[in-house]
Amino acid sequence: MKPIIRTLSLGQLVNLVDWAAAEGWNPGLDDAAMLQAADPEGFIGAFAGNEMVAGISAVAYGSDFGFVGLYICRPDMRGKGYGKAVWTAGIERLAGRTIGLDGVEAQRANYESKGFRPVYETIRYSGRPTALPSGIRRPRMVTARMVPDIIAYDALCFPAPRDSFLRRWLQPPHHAVAMIASQATAGYAVARACRSGFKVGPLFADDMRTALELLEDLAATCKGGDLNIDVPATQSDFIAALEAAGFSATFSTTRMYKGPPPRLDTNRMFGVTTLELG
């Protein structure tokens, strides 16, 4: 049966996130509504009749950058072309942009054959920290007045403006904290409750000390389960600090781009936002 391709409703996106949970991806408890805020038209499904059989996120951040993720075909419908159909629809939606994704090692060659090129490895570190360095400075809980400055800071570390996404991502039930130094934002971090434990992302900061202070504050706030953070492998000193604090590497992906890789302040990137949206 030839699939019908259409934009997902919020309820259908909830189903796609549930599929991600079944795949062991441990999504956030409130991910569907939070992710949809990035681009309401950016979540696409393939349908056989009235049944969703495959899905993908193909989120456009303006006219120059997009990101694909949440690429799943229902297990009982694999091998029938539905996954390929929804992939094609997602890539076509982002045509003309640099497109990013986070690919697992098993799929890296497949993505390279589609024109994606690896840029850096991301390693997931998980644990309940026991010995994070204690900081003198205390992060502040993000308030509405702080959001414009955080959006400006985020632009240093993310390839394109994402105001609507951040205005939702920084709200409860997420835990969002920022470090303010000399009346300016020196970093910020967000943690969200997941099916198991919490994920931290993004974690952007001026330096490692600030990143660790932000992480320490989130660890004190987020009780009941491990913290999980996807760290660029280039942050070797930060990784050493995480390992000393009791975190362990549990998973890795490769950030890949089709088109010119964006220019970012990678020194400030200690944890990516989410593997689904970049």
Side-chain angles (χ1 to χ4, degrees):
M1 179 184 297
K2 184 177 180 179
I4 299 169
I5 303 296
R6 61 174 181 256
T7 302
L8 298 182
S9 67
L10 178 58
Q12 290 160 345
L13 180 53
V14 169
N15 290 339
L16 183 59
V17 171
D18 286 343
W19 290 3
E23 294 287 330
W25 297 359
N26 191 29
L29 298 180
D30 302 284
D31 269 8
M34 295 285 183
L35 297 178
Q36 193 185 49
D39 179 4
E41 305 298 316
F43 299 86
I44 301 168
F47 292 78
N50 291 321
E51 292 188 31
M52 184 171 70
V53 294
I56 196 170
S57 59
V59 169
Y61 295 101
S63 60
D64 297 323
F65 183 69
F67 203 88
V68 294
L70 276 176
Y71 177 36
I72 308 173
C73 185
R74 212 171 72 188
D76 62 315
M77 301 300 283
R78 290 172 183 171
K80 300 180 180 181
Y82 295 122
K84 180 180 179 181
V86 80
W87 168 270
T88 299
I91 296 300
E92 287 178 350
R93 182 173 192 270
L94 299 178
R97 299 171 175 85
T98 289
I99 305 173
L101 61 78
D102 288 304
V104 297
E105 180 62 30
Q107 291 297 321
R108 177 169 163 169
N110 178 39
Y111 292 134
E112 285 184 316
S113 73
K114 300 178 186 300
F116 287 83
R117 297 292 175 259
V119 175
Y120 62 84
E121 184 183 11
T122 298
I123 306 170
R124 177 165 297 170
Y125 276 86
S126 303
R128 171 51 60 178
T130 58
L132 279 173
S134 296
I136 298 174
R137 301 176 300 172
R138 303 306 306 173
R140 301 182 192 176
M141 182 181 299
V142 171
T143 64
R145 288 185 61 186
M146 297 163 66
V147 169
D149 286 340
I150 291 174
I151 288 174
Y153 190 90
D154 186 79
L156 301 172
C157 306
F158 195 78
R162 50 177 182 172
D163 299 25
S164 59
F165 168 74
L166 286 174
R167 290 184 188 281
R168 190 68 182 268
W169 198 252
L170 293 167
Q171 290 183 15
H174 290 184
H175 305 283
V177 293
M179 187 68 76
I180 308 299
S182 301
Q183 306 302 312
T185 300
Y188 85 98
V190 180
R192 72 193 198 276
C194 294
R195 306 298 173 98
S196 175
F198 300 84
K199 286 183 180 176
V200 175
L203 175 51
F204 298 156
D206 283 354
D207 49 51
M208 188 177 79
R209 173 193 170 197
T210 303
L212 289 171
E213 288 170 334
L214 290 164
L215 187 60
E216 179 192 30
D217 193 83
L218 289 177
T221 302
C222 300
K223 303 294 187 180
D226 286 349
L227 301 184
N228 303 275
I229 180 170
D230 295 304
V231 184
T234 53
Q235 291 285 8
S236 55
D237 290 342
F238 183 64
I239 286 172
L242 290 179
E243 291 175 344
F247 285 82
S248 299
T250 58
F251 179 71
S252 67
T253 57
T254 300
R255 175 60 60 89
M256 308 179 75
Y257 293 106
K258 183 176 183 179
R263 296 181 180 180
L264 303 172
D265 188 347
T266 56
N267 291 330
R268 285 185 165 95
M269 296 166 54
F270 293 89
V272 303
T273 307
T274 162
L275 300 184
E276 291 78 19
L277 297 190

